[in-house]
Amino acid sequence: MEKLPRGKPRDQDIWSTFKSNWFSNIFSGFANIGQMLGDLANAFLGGGSFGPGPLKSIKDRSVAVSADLAGLQSRTQQLEGVIGYAHSYCTGGAPVGNADTFIPLNIPVGPTVGVTRTGNRFVLGSRGLWVAQAQIGYDSISSILNTYINAQIRIYTPGGTLFAHGIAETVTETQHTCTVQMPFVVPAAGYYAELWGFMGLTRGIKGGSSWTRMSVQKVSSETS
């Protein structure tokens, strides 16, 4: 077979083809690696759509682990007292009036978690950040009497000392509702929340969950 002298065009064509294929294979390999890493990342994050094989197994396991972690977080919060809530309302009536008056929350609504209802008030079962919301509905009254009214949320220490106080107030002789909301932080269990109000003589409080009610809900176990 005839050998071509060094540097002839045929030699150069073979070398050019070799170099082209070699570099193409290398960069093609890098492209496949990139795709593989992307697929792995999606699988570990529980994403992507894969047929039967290792990537699908990784994805399924990631989804299962995420669900387990979510369940563990919920159970941990319950054990740490992060979850807490209660809601009650008052049946109404006509208190003595012309003085700050304790309003009994004598009808519970729904479940109670992390809170104890004692003496028509809420006893908090753990430390942390809480939010209380309350509303009092007032009947109308003659304008010749005291037309000042308010709604109060009072937080007391386990020993009975006033710890925190939120108030909403107005002056009106017509039927009216006062609403107040207050976030507060307690350092330990045993603090309790009460609903108070001020109304003139002979002025009645409207009963029922639509008018006179209070709820507490825990937001966090952190205190600072």
Side-chain angles (χ1 to χ4, degrees):
M1 181 176 180
E2 178 186 2
K3 292 184 180 180
L4 294 175
R6 180 185 295 273
K8 292 292 182 180
R10 185 178 175 186
D11 248 357
Q12 293 173 0
D13 290 342
I14 293 173
W15 174 239
S16 297
T17 302
F18 169 74
K19 288 192 296 181
S20 176
N21 291 338
W22 186 69
F23 282 110
S24 295
N25 289 335
I26 289 178
F27 287 113
S28 175
F30 277 114
N32 291 336
I33 289 173
Q35 181 180 351
M36 180 189 70
L37 292 176
D39 287 345
L40 278 173
N42 282 333
F44 277 116
L45 293 174
S49 178
F50 308 107
L55 290 176
K56 186 177 186 303
S57 298
I58 292 173
K59 174 189 173 180
D60 292 345
R61 182 56 183 161
S62 296
V63 171
V65 169
S66 296
D68 289 343
L69 288 175
L72 177 61
Q73 182 180 24
S74 177
R75 291 191 295 272
T76 301
Q77 287 182 342
Q78 291 185 37
L79 289 173
E80 291 180 347
V82 173
I83 297 176
Y85 48 84
H87 179 77
S88 292
Y89 67 89
C90 175
T91 51
V96 174
N98 273 352
D100 287 334
T101 304
F102 170 71
I103 298 175
L105 299 164
N106 55 329
I107 307 296
V109 177
T112 299
V113 176
V115 179
T116 303
R117 292 186 178 94
T118 303
N120 295 321
R121 56 180 58 84
F122 298 137
V123 181
L124 310 178
S126 59
R127 66 181 178 89
L129 173 63
W130 294 75
V131 176
Q133 301 181 68
Q135 174 181 291
I136 300 176
Y138 288 104
D139 291 327
S140 58
I141 193 172
S142 171
S143 60
I144 64 173
L145 298 173
N146 187 351
T147 57
Y148 172 80
I149 53 176
N150 71 33
Q152 305 172 42
I153 295 172
R154 296 189 178 190
I155 310 300
Y156 289 90
T157 66
T161 302
L162 184 63
F163 176 76
H165 189 202
I167 184 170
E169 57 185 3
T170 191
V171 176
T172 179
E173 63 191 65
T174 62
Q175 176 178 285
H176 190 77
T177 57
C178 283
T179 303
V180 59
Q181 176 176 316
M182 183 180 70
F184 59 95
V185 175
V186 294
Y191 285 66
Y192 56 93
E194 294 182 348
L195 178 60
W196 286 66
F198 183 99
M199 71 293 297
L201 286 172
T202 75
R203 193 166 202 165
I205 291 176
K206 301 176 75 65
S209 61
S210 298
W211 292 101
T212 302
R213 60 183 184 263
M214 181 172 170
S215 62
V216 292
Q217 183 171 1
K218 189 170 183 181
V219 178
S220 172
S221 288
E222 301 299 321
T223 57
S224 62

